[in-house]
Amino acid sequence: MVNHVEQSVYERLPNYKYDGLKKGTFCPFCTSVLIPFTLKKIRCEKCGYEEDIDAAVMRSVKEFHLLFPDRKITTMGIQEWGGLILSKKVIRRVLGKYLTYIEKGGHSHYLLTK
Ligand SMILES: [Zn+2]
């Protein structure tokens, strides 16, 4: 008997693919889509949950990296994964603040080192 308690949602879906997954920044409580509320916060319209944009972007980054460890973390990639609700400028600022920037011609990306 497999111990199901230790399996994450994603481990129970062995054949997930990037294109098949729903993109977006979701409310951790009611799983609705979060939308920008102020310059610093995004908000769930359903339950009223608010989250700092920095925290929300980092949540997307960690989720993306957990699901797709082979994919490079880029501004565009995280923007798309988060459902395109935030501008590239905002995402670049957050990634630059918390991640290590690897400059490599047209293939610059970020590394999660913290
Ligand atoms: Zn909610």
Side-chain angles (χ1 to χ4, degrees):
M1 187 74 184
V2 183
N3 183 358
H4 289 278
V5 179
E6 289 186 2
Q7 285 185 313
S8 78
V9 175
Y10 301 111
E11 284 168 337
R12 275 184 263 126
L13 300 167
N15 294 317
Y16 66 83
K17 285 201 181 86
Y18 180 81
D19 292 335
L21 290 176
K22 200 175 167 198
K23 317 296 185 293
T25 307
F26 302 101
C27 176
F29 297 102
C30 72
T31 70
S32 293
V33 176
L34 299 177
I35 49 173
F37 175 51
T38 66
L39 284 175
K40 294 211 155 125
K41 299 222 179 228
I42 59 173
R43 185 171 198 267
C44 173
E45 292 222 308
K46 202 169 171 189
C47 74
Y49 170 76
E50 287 178 16
E51 187 171 35
D52 285 341
I53 279 176
D54 284 24
V57 171
M58 287 310 292
R59 207 152 56 83
S60 284
V61 168
K62 282 172 187 158
E63 192 181 72
F64 178 81
H65 185 65
L66 181 76
L67 290 172
F68 305 103
D70 297 334
R71 282 190 176 235
K72 298 256 188 292
I73 299 168
T74 63
T75 305
M76 267 179 76
I78 296 305
Q79 187 191 33
E80 186 180 275
W81 180 245
L84 302 170
I85 59 165
L86 297 168
S87 71
K88 280 199 185 70
K89 193 180 155 191
V90 168
I91 290 170
R92 196 175 292 125
R93 176 184 66 73
V94 177
L95 297 185
K97 191 167 164 187
Y98 300 101
L99 275 62
T100 305
Y101 185 58
I102 307 294
E103 186 149 18
K104 211 175 173 188
H107 301 281
S108 301
H109 63 100
Y110 294 84
L111 284 183
L112 251 181
T113 51
K114 289 159 199 169

